[in-house]
Amino acid sequence: MKLKTMVTNAIVAALYVAVTTVIAPLSYGAIQFRVSEIFNHLAVFNRKYIIGIVAGVFIANLFSPLGWYDIVFGTAHSLISLLAMTVLTRKTGNTWIKMGINILMFMFFSFIIAWELKLAFDAPFWLNYVTVAFGELVVMGIGAPIMKVLNDKIHFAKRLEAKS
C-alpha cells in the first residue's frame, strides 16, 4: 500500500474516532445517530477508503459501553456493508445511485447490530433493527449531499492517487 493511501486512511480513521467519541452518548446503543457514519460515503468515491473507515469503526468501538460485542459486530457491520456496496455498484458511475445503495446496505445489514443488542442485553431484535436502520438512514441520508458537495470541491478519489 502506498504511503499516501496509508496516511489518508489514518486520517479518515482518526476523524471517524474523533466524531464518534465527541458525541458518544448518541454514538452507541439501540437508538443511535452516529454522525461519523457520514464517512461511509467516502467508499463511494474510492473503495480504498474502506480501510480507514473500518479501522475508525474498530477503534471507536473500543470505547463502546458494549465492549467486545461492539468491536466485533459493529466492525463486521461496517465491513460487510461497505463490501456489499462496492460489489453492487462496481458498474455504476452515478454517485447518487452509489450513495443510495450505500445507505440501503447499511440499513439492511443493521440486523447485525440488532443481533448484537439481542445478545448483549436480550433487547427486542425487530425494534432494534428498525431503530438502528432508521439512524443509518437519517445520518447517511443527510450526509450524502454533504459528501457530494465536499467531493466536488476536494475530489476524494484523487486524495489517494499519486500526483503526476
Side-chain angles (χ1 to χ4, degrees):
M1 180 184 308
K2 293 183 180 178
L3 180 62
K4 186 173 184 178
T5 301
M6 286 177 29
V7 170
T8 303
N9 273 303
I11 292 167
V12 168
L15 287 169
Y16 189 100
V17 172
V19 172
T20 301
T21 55
V22 163
I23 59 164
L26 290 174
S27 297
Y28 304 101
I31 300 174
Q32 59 178 268
F33 293 96
R34 191 178 276 205
V35 176
S36 50
E37 290 290 275
I38 290 171
F39 294 117
N40 292 328
H41 287 306
L42 287 170
V44 165
F45 302 104
N46 192 321
R47 67 180 182 203
K48 291 179 183 177
Y49 283 110
I50 292 173
I51 296 164
I53 297 163
V54 173
V57 172
F58 177 83
I59 296 165
N61 287 344
L62 292 172
F63 303 101
S64 171
L66 292 171
W68 73 268
Y69 283 108
D70 224 6
I71 295 166
V72 173
F73 289 89
T75 304
H77 171 250
S78 294
L79 180 60
I80 291 166
S81 298
L82 290 167
L83 292 176
M85 179 277 299
T86 301
V87 168
L88 292 173
T89 63
R90 70 176 161 229
K91 297 191 188 266
T92 303
N94 185 302
T95 301
W96 291 111
I97 291 172
K98 287 182 176 185
M99 286 185 170
I101 291 171
N102 200 26
I103 294 167
L104 290 174
M105 290 302 94
F106 273 86
M107 290 175 63
F108 174 76
F109 288 109
S110 290
F111 75 82
I112 296 170
I113 306 302
W115 185 28
E116 166 192 1
L117 295 167
K118 176 75 174 159
L119 292 172
F121 300 121
D122 198 30
F125 175 85
W126 289 107
L127 177 62
N128 289 321
Y129 187 21
V130 169
T131 60
V132 172
F134 180 73
E136 294 286 1
L137 173 64
V138 170
V139 170
M140 291 181 71
I142 291 169
I146 293 168
M147 294 303 279
K148 175 71 169 90
V149 168
L150 286 173
N151 182 62
D152 291 346
K153 300 287 183 200
I154 61 176
H155 310 285
F156 294 126
K158 291 181 182 176
R159 297 289 159 204
L160 296 176
E161 298 171 1
K163 291 186 179 185
S164 41

